[in-house]
Amino acid sequence: MTEPDPLQISKGCIQAPAGCGKTHLIAQSLKRCTADKPILVLTHTNAAVAALRQRLDKSEVPRSSYRLATIDGWAMRMVGMFPLRSAADPSILELSNPGIDYPAIKEAALTLLQGRHVDNLLAANYSRLLVDEYQDCLSAQHQIVCELARVLPTCIFGDVLQGIFDFGDTQVNWNSEVLRDFPLIGELSTPWRWKLAGAEALGQWLLDLRPTLLSGHRIDLSTAPSELEWIAVSGDQDFEKILAATHDMPKGIDSSLIICSSRNRQRQQQIAQFTKGASVVENADLADLVSFARRFDFSSPNATAELLNEAASVLRGISSTEMIARVASLKAGTNRKPATDQEMAALNFDSEKTPQKAAALLSSLSNQSGVSAFRGEVFRNLLKALHASVNADDFADMALKAREERRFHSRALGKKSVGSTLLVKGLEADQVVIVDTHEMNAKNLYVALTRGAKRVVVCSTSQHLPAI
């Protein structure tokens, strides 16, 4: 079947099932475009922008051929350029209250576009528009794209089965709104992710199950090819079998995604902590780090204990309880054994509670044999914030700065990564291990199943899924 050509679409949608070469199609379209103006490419998050740019660079797509941004980021730029015509309060661009400011920015951008104030500017600067991951659009973002489509030939890419973000009434409806405004032109149908990995039968099975999931019926795992393994568990607390599955990496498997509960972050952290070499895929807001930085008081008499407890929450192989007891013993002079390097670092911080001493203590703890980070992103950004702090008063601000800088980088996965479908959507590995299937609806199940290019392992009480 011939793939649809985004450069020949004036206004329409290409449905892109997971792993069917959408990013490659976008890259090749940009590469062969001969227009004298760049193509505007929009997506949803800064991390997605970074990941897409990385893929485009790898495909040797000239950066002069496109302009890449998030929908909200592009809207901010336009409102900043035309604050009067967009009828916006300039203070919304400071994002001091994101929950209020982002909707206001989208509304202001829509006002600007609906007033046709920038039609000529758009036509002069861009040859056409491509929008990725359209199933994640909010209604306001959809309205913005519709206005852009009045001026620019527009092709959107999305997949209704990957629409797992629940924004309630503010989310655009795929069937009644998206396909109404952007008619379906075609659907990608070659399972390239699995074909290139030597597991085409698995990829075709995943494509074939789409109608079943879309119609609200259950799939039968017993019909899957040999690349899918079902492990019968008695429930979500059957840790022996679940951890055996998360540890297993057969020959030829170099990376593994472990997908578990979206509702329980502690569950993800627990599985990562007890799976050797695994690390949690963190939320973009790094809420736990920011919360710790805001509440941590360097001058508190309990500061050393609190810092050690924080270390134990991100590093496997240490006991904060034992360490706190040892520090107390060393301070009281009741110890029998001399202080280790890590205990000396704790005593140094206890006597001079500065960000630099805190960073030295954390580094010393992490350098021990048998100690590793199971929340690597939190640990690295915690150290980064401490090193950047001139004094204790800077710490909270430096943690926020580290978080914001992280937003503009694509997520680098370790050999084993643990997260929810919301956090691993768009990512892939050689293997995926799926637990907590009892919490997954059809869309979350599909996203989970399609993360593994060579092997899929499902831990569940039944072979008939989804359970809800």
Side-chain angles (χ1 to χ4, degrees), residues 111-163:
T111 297
L112 181 67
L113 292 167
Q114 288 175 335
R116 308 203 171 189
H117 299 299
V118 294
D119 284 9
N120 291 337
L121 179 70
L122 294 171
N125 280 275
Y126 308 118
S127 61
R128 61 174 50 246
L129 170 65
L130 304 179
V131 188
D132 195 13
E133 301 289 352
Y134 210 84
Q135 72 279 346
D136 297 332
C137 265
L138 302 176
S139 292
Q141 292 169 329
H142 176 64
Q143 290 178 278
I144 288 172
V145 175
C146 285
E147 287 299 319
L148 288 170
R150 282 192 303 97
V151 183
L152 302 172
T154 299
C155 176
I156 66 170
F157 300 82
D159 178 17
V160 65
L161 257 182
Q162 295 183 72

Coordinates of all heavy atoms in Angstrom, one line a residue, residues 111-163:
T111 N -7.3 34.8 19.4 CA -7.9 36.2 19.0 C -7.1 36.8 17.9 O -7.6 37.4 17.0 CB -7.8 37.1 20.3 OG1 -8.6 36.6 21.3 CG2 -8.3 38.5 19.9
L112 N -5.7 36.7 18.0 CA -4.9 37.2 17.0 C -5.1 36.5 15.6 O -5.2 37.2 14.6 CB -3.4 37.0 17.4 CG -2.3 37.5 16.5 CD1 -2.3 39.0 16.4 CD2 -0.9 37.0 17.0
L113 N -5.2 35.2 15.6 CA -5.4 34.5 14.4 C -6.8 34.7 13.8 O -7.0 34.9 12.6 CB -5.2 33.0 14.6 CG -3.8 32.5 15.0 CD1 -3.7 31.1 15.5 CD2 -2.9 32.7 13.7
Q114 N -7.8 34.7 14.7 CA -9.2 34.9 14.2 C -9.4 36.3 13.6 O -10.3 36.5 12.7 CB -10.2 34.6 15.3 CG -10.3 33.1 15.7 CD -11.2 32.9 16.9 OE1 -11.4 33.8 17.7 NE2 -11.8 31.7 17.0
G115 N -8.6 37.3 14.1 CA -8.7 38.6 13.6 C -8.0 38.8 12.3 O -8.0 39.8 11.6
R116 N -7.4 37.7 11.8 CA -6.6 37.7 10.5 C -5.5 38.7 10.5 O -5.1 39.2 9.4 CB -7.6 37.8 9.3 CG -8.7 36.8 9.4 CD -9.4 36.5 8.1 NE -10.3 35.4 8.3 CZ -10.9 34.8 7.3 NH1 -10.7 35.1 6.0 NH2 -11.8 33.8 7.5
H117 N -5.0 39.0 11.6 CA -4.0 40.1 11.7 C -2.6 39.6 11.1 O -1.8 40.4 10.7 CB -3.8 40.5 13.1 CG -5.0 41.1 13.7 ND1 -5.6 42.3 13.2 CD2 -5.7 40.8 14.8 CE1 -6.6 42.6 14.0 NE2 -6.8 41.7 14.9
V118 N -2.4 38.2 11.2 CA -1.1 37.7 10.8 C -1.2 36.8 9.6 O -0.2 36.0 9.4 CB -0.4 37.0 12.0 CG1 -0.1 38.0 13.1 CG2 -1.3 35.9 12.6
D119 N -2.2 36.8 8.9 CA -2.4 35.9 7.7 C -1.2 36.0 6.7 O -0.6 35.1 6.3 CB -3.7 36.1 7.0 CG -4.9 35.5 7.8 OD1 -4.7 35.0 8.9 OD2 -6.0 35.4 7.2
N120 N -0.9 37.3 6.4 CA 0.2 37.6 5.4 C 1.5 37.2 6.0 O 2.4 36.6 5.3 CB 0.2 39.0 5.1 CG -1.1 39.4 4.2 OD1 -1.7 38.6 3.6 ND2 -1.4 40.7 4.2
L121 N 1.7 37.4 7.3 CA 3.0 37.0 8.0 C 3.2 35.5 7.9 O 4.3 35.0 7.6 CB 3.0 37.5 9.4 CG 4.2 37.2 10.2 CD1 5.4 38.0 9.7 CD2 4.0 37.4 11.7
L122 N 2.1 34.7 8.2 CA 2.2 33.3 8.1 C 2.5 32.8 6.7 O 3.4 32.0 6.5 CB 0.8 32.7 8.6 CG 0.4 32.9 10.1 CD1 -1.0 32.4 10.3 CD2 1.4 32.2 11.0
A123 N 1.8 33.3 5.7 CA 2.0 32.9 4.3 C 3.4 33.3 3.9 O 4.0 32.5 3.0 CB 1.0 33.5 3.4
A124 N 4.0 34.3 4.4 CA 5.3 34.8 4.0 C 6.4 34.0 4.6 O 7.5 33.9 4.1 CB 5.5 36.3 4.3
N125 N 6.1 33.4 5.8 CA 7.2 32.7 6.6 C 7.2 31.2 6.5 O 8.2 30.6 6.8 CB 7.1 33.2 8.0 CG 7.7 34.5 8.3 OD1 8.9 34.6 8.5 ND2 6.9 35.6 8.2
Y126 N 6.0 30.6 6.2 CA 5.9 29.1 6.2 C 5.3 28.6 4.9 O 4.4 29.3 4.3 CB 5.1 28.6 7.3 CG 5.5 29.2 8.7 CD1 4.6 30.0 9.4 CD2 6.7 28.9 9.2 CE1 4.9 30.5 10.7 CE2 7.1 29.4 10.5 CZ 6.2 30.2 11.2 OH 6.5 30.7 12.4
S127 N 5.8 27.5 4.4 CA 5.2 26.9 3.2 C 4.0 26.0 3.5 O 3.0 25.9 2.8 CB 6.2 26.1 2.5 OG 6.7 25.0 3.3
R128 N 4.0 25.4 4.7 CA 2.9 24.5 5.1 C 3.1 24.2 6.6 O 4.1 24.6 7.2 CB 2.8 23.2 4.3 CG 4.0 22.3 4.3 CD 3.7 21.0 3.6 NE 3.2 21.2 2.3 CZ 2.0 20.8 1.9 NH1 1.1 20.2 2.7 NH2 1.5 21.0 0.6
L129 N 2.1 23.4 7.2 CA 2.1 23.1 8.6 C 1.9 21.6 8.8 O 1.1 21.0 8.1 CB 0.9 23.8 9.3 CG 0.6 23.4 10.7 CD1 1.7 23.8 11.7 CD2 -0.7 24.1 11.2
L130 N 2.8 21.0 9.6 CA 2.6 19.6 10.1 C 2.5 19.6 11.6 O 3.2 20.3 12.3 CB 3.9 18.8 9.7 CG 4.3 18.8 8.2 CD1 5.6 17.9 8.1 CD2 3.2 18.2 7.4
V131 N 1.5 18.9 12.1 CA 1.3 18.8 13.6 C 1.3 17.4 14.0 O 0.6 16.5 13.5 CB -0.1 19.5 14.0 CG1 -0.2 19.6 15.5 CG2 -0.2 20.8 13.3
D132 N 2.2 17.1 15.0 CA 2.4 15.7 15.5 C 1.6 15.5 16.7 O 1.2 16.4 17.4 CB 3.9 15.5 15.7 CG 4.3 14.1 15.9 OD1 3.5 13.2 15.5 OD2 5.4 13.8 16.3
E133 N 1.3 14.2 17.0 CA 0.6 13.7 18.2 C -0.7 14.5 18.4 O -1.0 14.9 19.5 CB 1.6 13.9 19.4 CG 2.9 13.2 19.4 CD 2.7 11.6 19.5 OE1 1.6 11.2 19.8 OE2 3.7 10.9 19.3
Y134 N -1.5 14.5 17.4 CA -2.7 15.3 17.4 C -3.7 14.8 18.4 O -4.6 15.6 18.9 CB -3.3 15.5 16.0 CG -4.0 16.8 15.9 CD1 -3.3 17.9 15.5 CD2 -5.4 16.9 16.1 CE1 -4.0 19.2 15.4 CE2 -6.0 18.1 16.0 CZ -5.3 19.3 15.6 OH -6.0 20.5 15.5
Q135 N -3.7 13.5 18.7 CA -4.7 13.0 19.7 C -4.5 13.6 21.1 O -5.4 13.5 21.9 CB -4.5 11.5 19.8 CG -3.3 11.0 20.5 CD -2.0 11.0 19.7 OE1 -2.1 11.1 18.5 NE2 -0.9 10.8 20.3
D136 N -3.4 14.3 21.3 CA -3.2 14.9 22.6 C -3.6 16.4 22.7 O -3.4 17.1 23.7 CB -1.7 14.9 23.0 CG -1.2 13.4 23.2 OD1 -2.1 12.6 23.5 OD2 0.0 13.2 22.9
C137 N -4.2 16.9 21.6 CA -4.6 18.3 21.5 C -5.8 18.7 22.5 O -6.7 17.9 22.6 CB -5.1 18.7 20.1 SG -3.8 19.4 19.1
L138 N -5.6 19.8 23.1 CA -6.7 20.4 23.8 C -7.6 21.2 22.7 O -7.2 21.5 21.6 CB -6.2 21.5 24.8 CG -5.3 20.9 25.9 CD1 -4.8 22.1 26.7 CD2 -5.9 19.9 26.7
S139 N -8.9 21.4 23.1 CA -9.8 22.1 22.2 C -9.2 23.4 21.7 O -9.3 23.8 20.6 CB -11.2 22.3 22.9 OG -11.8 21.1 23.1
A140 N -8.6 24.2 22.7 CA -8.1 25.5 22.3 C -6.9 25.4 21.3 O -6.8 26.2 20.4 CB -7.6 26.2 23.6
Q141 N -6.1 24.3 21.5 CA -5.0 24.1 20.5 C -5.6 23.7 19.2 O -5.0 24.1 18.1 CB -4.1 23.0 21.1 CG -3.3 23.4 22.3 CD -2.6 22.3 23.0 OE1 -3.1 21.1 23.0 NE2 -1.5 22.6 23.6
H142 N -6.6 22.9 19.2 CA -7.3 22.5 17.9 C -7.8 23.7 17.2 O -7.6 23.8 16.0 CB -8.4 21.5 18.2 CG -9.2 21.1 17.0 ND1 -8.7 20.4 16.0 CD2 -10.5 21.4 16.7 CE1 -9.6 20.2 15.1 NE2 -10.7 20.8 15.5
Q143 N -8.4 24.7 17.9 CA -8.9 25.9 17.3 C -7.8 26.7 16.7 O -7.9 27.3 15.6 CB -9.6 26.7 18.3 CG -11.0 26.1 18.8 CD -11.6 27.0 19.8 OE1 -11.3 26.9 21.0 NE2 -12.5 27.9 19.4
I144 N -6.6 26.7 17.3 CA -5.4 27.4 16.8 C -5.0 26.8 15.5 O -4.7 27.5 14.5 CB -4.3 27.5 17.8 CG1 -4.6 28.4 19.0 CG2 -3.0 27.9 17.2 CD1 -3.7 28.4 20.2
V145 N -4.9 25.5 15.5 CA -4.5 24.8 14.3 C -5.5 25.0 13.2 O -5.1 25.1 12.0 CB -4.2 23.3 14.6 CG1 -3.9 22.5 13.3 CG2 -3.1 23.1 15.6
C146 N -6.7 25.0 13.5 CA -7.8 25.2 12.4 C -7.6 26.6 11.8 O -7.8 26.8 10.6 CB -9.2 25.1 13.0 SG -9.7 23.4 13.4
E147 N -7.3 27.6 12.6 CA -7.0 28.9 12.1 C -5.8 29.0 11.2 O -5.8 29.6 10.2 CB -6.9 29.9 13.2 CG -8.2 30.2 13.9 CD -9.2 30.9 13.0 OE1 -8.8 31.7 12.2 OE2 -10.4 30.5 13.1
L148 N -4.7 28.3 11.6 CA -3.5 28.2 10.8 C -3.8 27.5 9.5 O -3.2 27.9 8.4 CB -2.4 27.4 11.6 CG -1.8 28.1 12.8 CD1 -0.9 27.2 13.5 CD2 -1.0 29.3 12.3
A149 N -4.7 26.5 9.5 CA -5.0 25.7 8.3 C -5.8 26.6 7.3 O -5.9 26.2 6.1 CB -5.8 24.5 8.7
R150 N -6.4 27.7 7.7 CA -7.0 28.6 6.8 C -6.0 29.2 5.8 O -6.3 29.5 4.6 CB -7.7 29.8 7.5 CG -9.0 29.6 8.1 CD -9.6 30.9 8.5 NE -8.8 31.7 9.4 CZ -8.0 32.7 9.0 NH1 -8.0 33.0 7.7 NH2 -7.3 33.4 9.9
V151 N -4.8 29.3 6.3 CA -3.7 30.0 5.6 C -2.7 29.1 5.0 O -2.2 29.2 3.9 CB -3.0 31.0 6.5 CG1 -1.9 31.8 5.7 CG2 -4.0 32.0 7.2
L152 N -2.4 28.0 5.7 CA -1.3 27.1 5.3 C -1.8 25.7 5.0 O -2.7 25.2 5.7 CB -0.3 26.9 6.5 CG 0.4 28.2 7.0 CD1 1.2 27.9 8.2 CD2 1.3 28.8 5.9
P153 N -1.3 25.0 4.0 CA -1.7 23.6 3.8 C -1.3 22.9 5.0 O -0.2 23.0 5.5 CB -0.8 23.2 2.6 CG -0.5 24.5 1.9 CD -0.4 25.6 3.0
T154 N -2.2 22.0 5.5 CA -1.9 21.4 6.9 C -2.2 19.9 6.9 O -3.2 19.5 6.4 CB -2.9 22.1 7.9 OG1 -2.6 23.5 8.0 CG2 -2.7 21.5 9.3
C155 N -1.2 19.2 7.4 CA -1.4 17.8 7.6 C -1.1 17.5 9.1 O -0.1 17.9 9.6 CB -0.4 17.0 6.7 SG -0.4 15.2 7.0
I156 N -2.1 16.8 9.7 CA -1.9 16.4 11.1 C -1.7 14.9 11.2 O -2.1 14.1 10.3 CB -3.1 16.8 11.9 CG1 -4.3 16.0 11.5 CG2 -3.4 18.3 11.9 CD1 -5.5 16.2 12.5
F157 N -0.9 14.5 12.2 CA -0.6 13.1 12.5 C -1.1 12.7 13.9 O -0.9 13.5 14.8 CB 0.9 12.8 12.4 CG 1.5 13.2 11.1 CD1 1.9 14.5 10.9 CD2 1.8 12.2 10.2 CE1 2.5 14.8 9.7 CE2 2.4 12.5 9.0 CZ 2.8 13.9 8.7
G158 N -1.8 11.6 14.0 CA -2.3 11.2 15.3 C -2.8 9.8 15.3 O -2.9 9.1 14.2
D159 N -3.2 9.3 16.4 CA -3.7 8.0 16.6 C -4.7 7.9 17.7 O -4.3 8.1 18.9 CB -2.6 7.0 16.8 CG -3.1 5.5 17.0 OD1 -4.2 5.3 16.6 OD2 -2.3 4.7 17.5
V160 N -5.9 7.7 17.5 CA -6.9 7.7 18.5 C -6.6 6.7 19.6 O -7.0 6.9 20.8 CB -8.3 7.5 17.9 CG1 -8.4 6.1 17.3 CG2 -9.4 7.7 18.9
L161 N -6.0 5.6 19.3 CA -5.7 4.6 20.3 C -4.5 5.0 21.2 O -4.3 4.3 22.2 CB -5.3 3.2 19.6 CG -6.4 2.2 19.6 CD1 -5.9 0.9 19.0 CD2 -7.0 1.9 21.0
Q162 N -3.8 6.0 20.9 CA -2.7 6.5 21.8 C -3.1 7.8 22.5 O -2.3 8.4 23.1 CB -1.5 6.8 20.9 CG -0.9 5.5 20.3 CD 0.4 5.7 19.6 OE1 1.4 6.0 20.2 NE2 0.4 5.7 18.3
G163 N -4.4 8.1 22.5 CA -4.9 9.3 23.2 C -5.2 9.0 24.7 O -6.3 8.9 25.1

